[in-house]
Amino acid sequence: LLGKTISANIHLIHIVDNKKHVSEARLKLDSLKDRVRVENDVEIHTHVRIGNIFEDIDKAATEMEAALIIMGTHGARGMQFMSGSRALKIVTESSIPFIVVQDRKVPQKYENIVFPIDLSAETKLKLEMTASMAKHLGSTVHIFAAKDNDPFNKKTMDANVAYAKKYFTQQNVPLEVKISDEDGEFSKQCIHYAVSVDADLIAIINLNYRSLNPLFKQDEEALITNEAQIPVLTVNPSKGFTEKNPMYNSQVL
């Protein structure tokens, strides 16, 4: 659906650990290629590589100059099956935006995108990617902001919300705004809200580099492996931002 909507080529990649699995992998990819091509009328290329899934997905996508990586998992259990934090590392360390999907049936339309906003400076960095997808897919963006009773934090939050509203309005993207009225973990609130608006996608910014605080990792994993099985778009901070931010020089992953 995404490839057809934005007129993009699709590259299916299967990474195997040794040569004896190459032939089987090629057969599977060719079968999938034929089925998807007939159903969606898009150009599809297949690739089988020998290597390590935790290291070679981003390498291959970079070589192909991919604009987006889509990867399937099976919720928290799936992440654990893929070695837990190492699987999350594939997503959050990638230089290319990721969409993680689960077993939930792929929607025929992406009508609603939830755009969580918090106090972080990076929260604005996913605006361009989200707006571009919303325009191509005809989506409504639902800005969801955390509740904060601290006057200083509330002022920062209000400024972030206002900035996002202005940006999406300038891009002619339909939007709605919801300020949480709950206390507690923001990731859980966000998932509950996404379910309430029947969201097809949740757009988050990768804060995994700030892992000196383990809460950033917990929030990201909770969203990426959400039980509602809503696909999650993960966007990394830009290279210019990370180069200027000293916290990137002390990352612990």
Side-chain angles (χ1 to χ4, degrees):
L1 173 61
L2 285 175
K4 185 177 181 179
T5 301
I6 64 178
S7 300
N9 294 330
I10 295 175
H11 292 260
L12 300 176
I13 184 167
H14 195 328
I15 297 174
V16 296
D17 57 4
N18 58 62
K19 290 183 178 180
K20 68 180 182 180
H21 295 138
V22 170
S23 295
E24 181 183 0
R26 288 194 187 280
L27 289 173
K28 288 182 178 179
L29 286 186
D30 288 341
S31 176
L32 179 60
K33 171 184 175 179
D34 292 340
R35 177 167 59 84
V36 175
R37 183 172 53 191
V38 170
E39 293 177 357
N40 297 279
D41 189 28
V42 292
E43 185 173 347
I44 301 174
H45 308 271
T46 61
H47 310 268
V48 177
R49 290 197 175 201
I50 299 172
N52 187 320
I53 188 173
F54 302 108
E55 299 174 357
D56 293 326
I57 289 180
D58 188 55
K59 289 180 182 177
T62 300
E63 291 173 11
M64 297 172 193
E65 298 182 343
L68 183 68
I69 301 172
I70 301 176
M71 183 176 76
T73 185
H74 300 284
R77 290 186 179 182
M79 284 297 201
Q80 288 295 327
F81 179 75
M82 295 175 66
S83 301
S85 61
R86 290 186 67 195
L88 184 62
K89 192 174 180 180
I90 297 174
V91 177
T92 57
E93 284 198 339
S94 174
S95 57
I96 299 168
F98 247 94
I99 291 182
V100 179
V101 298
Q102 298 188 50
D103 286 338
R104 180 182 179 182
K105 185 178 179 180
V106 176
Q108 292 304 304
K109 293 183 179 180
Y110 283 77
E111 296 181 345
N112 299 295
I113 299 176
V114 170
F115 187 91
I117 284 186
D118 55 26
L119 294 170
S120 67
E122 300 92 332
T123 196
K124 300 173 184 176
L125 300 177
K126 57 187 175 181
L127 283 166
E128 183 177 355
M129 183 70 176
T130 305
S132 176
M133 292 193 68
K135 290 170 72 173
H136 277 104
L137 299 170
S139 311
T140 295
V141 171
H142 299 259
I143 296 173
F144 182 69
K147 173 185 177 182
D148 202 308
N149 296 319
D150 179 271
F152 179 80
N153 289 346
K154 186 177 185 303
K155 184 177 180 179
T156 302
M157 185 72 72
D158 289 345
N160 284 349
V161 170
Y163 187 93
K165 285 175 62 178
K166 181 179 179 180
Y167 184 89
F168 287 126
T169 299
Q170 290 175 338
Q171 296 296 316
N172 296 315
V173 173
L175 67 110
E176 296 183 8
V177 179
K178 169 67 176 178
I179 308 298
S180 176
D181 53 9
E182 303 177 39
D183 294 310
E185 293 181 33
F186 183 56
S187 57
K188 290 184 178 180
Q189 296 173 35
C190 182
I191 294 166
H192 291 161
Y193 176 69
V195 171
S196 74
V197 299
D198 196 22
D200 301 297
L201 192 68
I202 301 173
I204 69 173
I205 192 76
N206 170 29
L207 295 179
N208 194 47
Y209 73 96
R210 284 162 48 152
S211 56
L212 293 174
N213 184 341
L215 291 178
F216 287 120
K217 276 188 172 182
Q218 292 173 14
D219 279 344
E220 284 183 18
E221 186 165 2
L223 288 168
I224 290 172
T225 64
N226 69 85
E227 292 184 358
Q229 298 190 350
I230 300 170
V232 175
L233 168 67
T234 303
V235 181
N236 282 2
S238 65
K239 183 178 180 181
F241 181 90
T242 59
E243 288 177 346
K244 294 177 182 178
N245 194 321
M247 296 190 76
Y248 259 86
N249 297 324
S250 58
Q251 60 179 330
V252 179
L253 299 171

